Amino acid sequence: MKNILILFLSILSFSIVSCNDNCDEGDKPTPASFFVEIVDETSGENVFENATYTAQQITIQDLDEVAVPFRFIENSNSIQIFPSVENALGNSFLIKLNNETTMQTDEINVNYDVSSSAGECFTTYKIENILFPNNTSELVDAVYVIKI
């Protein structure tokens, strides 16, 4: 009886160990993000190229004033934003530009939704329905060009 129990446990443990779900521990989804370029509505110039603002003068926060992660991309003077994907609908945050030297400030309200797709190894999130309710904007080559 003891041998049968040992044999049974060995087979059971082997089947558990040899289970392969085709997922590598290093596999991770690309974080959901989108790109924005901010231009002067009058001149059409990028506000970072014409030195209206610098990358250090950017603050992005949700409505609870919690920082939203972003990355400034110098070679294109655009911003890659990584907003929260916790809620599917009705998300908002604020892009703040503040040049203390010239006393110029601009705020851009952003509204968005999140969709998700469950895969074999992880869930992928996508930012969609992106709107800038107080600014004119257009989507150009996967970059939202916002006029201030």
Side-chain angles (χ1 to χ4, degrees):
M1 182 71 169
K2 187 175 181 181
N3 289 338
I4 294 174
L5 182 60
I6 292 173
L7 179 63
F8 175 74
L9 291 175
S10 297
I11 292 171
L12 180 63
S13 66
F14 178 72
S15 65
I16 292 172
V17 171
S18 66
C19 179
N20 184 0
D21 60 5
N22 295 324
C23 296
D24 293 331
E25 276 187 39
D27 284 347
K28 292 183 182 175
T30 303
S33 69
F34 65 96
F35 295 86
V36 299
E37 178 182 353
I38 304 171
V39 298
D40 182 281
E41 189 168 30
T42 306
S43 68
E45 294 177 312
N46 183 299
V47 296
F48 301 106
E49 287 177 11
N50 70 11
T52 302
Y53 295 105
T54 65
Q56 294 74 29
Q57 296 168 332
I58 303 167
T59 304
I60 303 178
Q61 296 178 325
D62 67 14
L63 299 180
D64 294 325
E65 297 186 353
V66 174
V68 173
F70 70 92
R71 181 173 66 108
F72 185 76
I73 303 168
E74 289 189 35
N75 62 354
S76 64
N77 289 306
S78 60
I79 307 167
Q80 183 178 16
I81 303 171
F82 303 91
S84 173
V85 295
E86 289 182 21
N87 299 316
L89 302 173
N91 298 290
S92 298
F93 64 85
L94 189 64
I95 301 171
K96 297 178 184 180
L97 305 172
N98 184 13
N99 186 332
E100 293 181 6
T101 305
T102 64
M103 302 299 288
Q104 183 168 352
T105 61
D106 284 285
E107 292 186 348
I108 302 166
N109 291 307
V110 183
N111 299 329
Y112 69 97
D113 295 328
V114 178
S115 66
S116 62
S117 175
E120 185 176 339
C121 299
F122 48 77
T123 301
T124 303
Y125 296 95
K126 180 179 178 186
I127 308 300
E128 45 188 31
N129 302 327
I130 301 167
L131 299 172
F132 308 93
N134 302 325
N135 300 84
T136 303
S137 65
E138 62 181 319
L139 185 60
V140 178
D141 298 326
V143 175
Y144 290 90
V145 178
I146 308 166
K147 296 178 182 178
I148 59 170

